[in-house]
Amino acid sequence: MLNPKDGIICLAGALFLLAFSGAMYYTADLGVSTYDAIALIMADRKIGKFKYCRIAIDLTCLIAGILTGGEIGIATVIIALTVGPLIQYFRTNLAEPFLEGRKIPAFLS
């Protein structure tokens, strides 16, 4: 079993990789899964910003899991609340400038 410090480090690393890779994949426009497409479609239709739509979808799935007898942990809640804003941040500040050939901010390169 991991000690709490190692668990936090693993969670932070996983969250970073999940958000960064999601941002790069969405921006490359190679297609997305149905689950990911819901938040993107909601944002395209101006229902809300992507980050808020993604949080809403993640929380909806989390609640559905609870209602069907699933167990959740604190990491699941943290990821549901933070992955949307982080994907949006990486898309805006790294993936889109990279794809368009714009200069990437120095603190990200």
Side-chain angles (χ1 to χ4, degrees):
M1 179 112 187
L2 288 175
N3 67 42
K5 180 181 174 185
D6 291 340
I8 291 170
I9 291 170
C10 286
L11 175 62
L15 186 56
F16 171 81
L17 288 173
L18 176 65
F20 177 75
S21 61
M24 295 300 281
Y25 189 69
Y26 296 163
T27 304
D29 201 22
L30 297 172
V32 293
S33 68
T34 306
Y35 172 78
D36 293 325
I38 296 169
L40 291 168
I41 291 168
M42 289 171 67
D44 284 345
R45 293 189 179 177
K46 308 291 188 230
I47 293 172
K49 291 184 178 182
F50 171 80
K51 59 185 173 182
Y52 300 124
C53 295
R54 179 63 189 244
I55 290 171
I57 297 302
D58 287 345
L59 289 177
T60 301
C61 291
L62 185 102
I63 291 167
I66 293 169
L67 293 175
T68 57
E71 295 182 22
I72 64 162
I74 188 68
T76 306
V77 176
I78 291 170
I79 288 175
L81 294 173
T82 58
V83 77
L86 286 173
I87 289 173
Q88 183 62 54
Y89 176 81
F90 286 129
R91 280 180 73 188
T92 304
N93 295 299
L94 187 65
E96 290 171 356
F98 179 75
L99 181 68
E100 296 166 1
R102 291 185 280 144
K103 186 172 180 172
I104 297 170
F107 67 92
L108 291 174
S109 59

